[in-house]
Amino acid sequence: MKASETAAEKTAAKKAPANKAETKAAEPKKTAAKKTAEKKTAEKKPAEKKPAAKKAPAKKAAPVIEETPAAPTAPVVEEAPAPEYHEPETPRRSICFIGSECYPFVKTGGLGDVMYALPKALVKQNCDVKVILPRYKSIPWEYQEKMIYRGAFHMDLCADGRSFYVGIMEYVWDGVVYDFIDNDEFFSYGNPYTNLIDDIPRYIYFGKAALAALNYMDWIPDVIHCHDWQAGLVPVFLRTQFANTAIGHAAVMLTIHNLRFQGIYNIPTIKYWSGLPDYVFNKDALKQGYEDANMLKGGLTYCNMITTVSGTYAGEIQTSFYGEKLDDHLRYHSGKLRGIVNGIDYDIWNTATDSRLGVNYDITNVLEKKKEAKRMLQEELGLEQDDHKFVIGLISRLTNQKGLDLVNAIIPQIMDEHTQIVILGTGDAEYEDSFRYYENAYKGNVCSNIMYDETRSHKIYAGADALLVPSLFEPCGLTQLIAMHYGTIPIVRETGGLKDTVEPYNVYTNWGNGFTFDNYDAGLLLDAINRAKTLYFTNRWCWDEMVQRDMDKDVSWDSSARQYKQLYLEMTPR
Ligand code: ADP
């Protein structure tokens, strides 16, 4: 019962109604404290900026509220807002996330953000959450040093019975328990992905070790929630080698964050490393084509529920264009396929408190402060400093998924004396080189940051006027959500989550969140950018309204976490 010890503090609420009451009582206080803090920020901002004093209803309350924390009457006020922030409690469920990356330990893209933010949001939805990750050597020391040794054992892995060490290192943070699978043979290199020859064995090992670790810790969740191909074999192991063990009773969900990556390798290699029985290598499960095995495909077959990260993408992947050769398999399993759009973490992405920005702002002063953020960005990047220029940002992995062929084709047409482009990304050499070329060709107005840099990304989200996301396909996309939350107007292709989250601007109703185009065509992207520029330069009033509307849009995890919780409950009826 070792794992239950860790979970004890959290699961205590499950056992005694009295505890539940205590939790409830404690939560409103937290919420109220948060709210007070938010109010204080909101109050301080207008105070700095005299012209905004009109919007000062909050100001009036300031002295009273600041004094209330000490006053015994506070609980009366605090109890009222609680229902706004906490759903009427749905039954408690324990969930174990298994995936290959998680911010801030290791992140290469959106998966890392989701693995961090969704568990946190689920804790608020009355879930007990554990996240299992590989302990990569590249995890910063500041986290490594805080990990606590939870135990170790040896696990049989391969078809010939070769066994491997499994260490468990634990780190608890924000109500979420992170267990890192420790094995130097697999995780002492790479960042975190290297090449399939190495990655196939390491993630086969990881999937099995995660389940073995849960049994070892005697922490049996209601639902195991796996992510992408790296955890694709988890459902297969669960229903075969682990079927008659304690963990075999758990329900299992598999989320597709990007169908392009599936973990495909020849059957003998996957059979050897996994030691899985022959019957799973049939064409309804792992087998693909004549001689390959597909880890994601196997997981889709054996899981109880498949989700992907937007409703539109859930439909798209059942078509041959977006289906990456799994469209028929997904159509077959469509009865258990759902789409839930991602959110962003408001603690990290908060313009009012973001310490990575040179200037903080909120919806009340965004129009002025964003100009400052733009100037700072221009200065830092060596661009001509001019608030009147229309600054277009692009923050992306540089791969053909992201529509960079379209961008490359039209940069000369976008560039005029009123426009600047800031690119941040790493990836394929062809795009890195072409963006470097454009930086040189348009010195002072194009800046290509060929690097991965969190801090710079925050500054671009704040300092740019618009953000380009012209993806060929986009399961959900986080950059357009972050952009909107930072008052930066997205220009996106209508695909996947981009279609679900960015309502096209309608010039007649003056409503919408950004500029969109449908077919994958450079001319249409150019047209969307030109429509954005036209509004920006000729009708700034409407542009500014859209900036504020976008900042106000709810792109948090709250609603998505609620939908995940609903699915967990559906999967585990009592
Ligand atoms: P994907 O997962 O396909 O890469 P998403 O839009 O879902 O795309 O998520 C991308 C995430 O990675 C965002 O948080 C974005 O800010 C971040 N990101 C992408 N490239 C960089 C970069 N070069 N530097 C910093 N952050 C980046």
Side-chain angles (χ1 to χ4, degrees), residues 107-111 113 257-258 342 349 395-397 401-402 424-426 449 451-457 461 469 474-480 482:
K107 170 181 155 182
T108 67
L111 171 63
D113 288 317
H257 294 265
N258 191 334
N342 289 333
W349 300 107
I395 300 173
S396 178
R397 286 183 294 117
Q401 177 200 332
K402 299 294 181 177
L424 174 64
T426 53
N449 303 269
M451 60 177 79
Y452 188 95
D453 186 334
E454 284 282 338
T455 302
R456 188 149 294 177
S457 75
Y461 285 121
V469 201
E474 194 60 74
C476 176
L478 295 176
T479 57
Q480 83 282 10
I482 303 169

Side-chain angles (χ1 to χ4, degrees), residues 97-161:
F97 274 53
I98 302 178
S100 57
E101 57 180 274
C102 176
Y103 174 89
F105 313 111
V106 56
K107 170 181 155 182
T108 67
L111 171 63
D113 288 317
V114 175
M115 290 284 291
Y116 163 74
L118 180 55
K120 252 178 80 184
L122 285 170
V123 168
K124 291 185 202 150
Q125 297 292 328
N126 199 21
C127 287
D128 198 5
V129 195
K130 192 187 264 297
V131 178
I132 301 193
L133 299 161
R135 186 191 180 188
Y136 302 107
K137 204 162 196 174
S138 57
I139 295 175
W141 180 243
E142 58 176 305
Y143 304 111
Q144 301 258 15
E145 69 176 352
K146 287 183 199 136
M147 294 177 190
I148 296 162
Y149 174 75
R150 285 281 279 124
F153 55 92
H154 274 79
M155 172 187 79
D156 287 349
L157 182 68
C158 304
D160 58 6

